[in-house]
Amino acid sequence: MKAEVYHNVAVDDGGRHLGLLDGYLPGHPVTLVFSTEIPECNDLDACEQLYRLLNVGHDPDFGEPDPRATQYRARGNRSLSMGDVACIDGRCYACARFGWQRLDHEPSIVHVTGIAGTTPIAEEV
């Protein structure tokens, strides 16, 4: 299964990160920060795998570090957080305060740089 993670990069006029504090809302821009293949499973289990991988997968206190998570963190990325989006084989879910919410629309994907804690992966050509 193809799994992608997008950071929510929506901010208000004061620079407040809307996704991190308020959750994902339709129209919030997101940028691709992680892509991998994961074993076949249901979508919500896949989202939970990604959450664990990108929050503690690099930390030896939680077991053997996963090289994907170590590389993700080495690029300067923050934890996967409320308001971010995970797509599993093209089906997208927003990370909510508790669990995941299926999106009934395509997220607004942008490629941005210069945001602390968000380093996008290179755009495919």
Side-chain angles (χ1 to χ4, degrees), residues 22 57 85 104 123:
D22 301 332
V85 173
D104 60 2
E123 291 183 289

Side-chain angles (χ1 to χ4, degrees), residues 12-101:
D12 65 14
D13 292 339
R16 183 174 158 288
H17 293 275
L18 298 175
L20 292 172
L21 299 173
D22 301 332
Y24 175 86
L25 294 174
H28 277 183
V30 297
T31 194
L32 181 63
V33 293
F34 184 75
S35 182
T36 193
E37 292 289 327
I38 58 174
E40 193 72 33
C41 63
N42 74 56
D43 287 357
L44 294 179
D45 285 345
C47 289
E48 288 298 324
Q49 286 180 41
L50 291 169
Y51 188 86
R52 180 167 174 76
L53 178 68
L54 300 182
N55 283 285
V56 299
H58 68 290
D59 189 338
D61 289 343
F62 292 91
E64 184 69 27
D66 186 305
R68 298 170 299 173
T70 301
Q71 181 183 33
Y72 171 83
R73 288 302 185 133
R75 289 188 8 254
N77 284 306
R78 60 170 170 75
S79 297
L80 176 57
S81 301
M82 184 174 78
D84 293 336
V85 173
C87 294
I88 311 301
D89 286 339
R91 298 173 300 278
C92 298
Y93 299 82
C95 185
R97 189 172 309 279
F98 299 102
W100 296 86
Q101 178 180 21

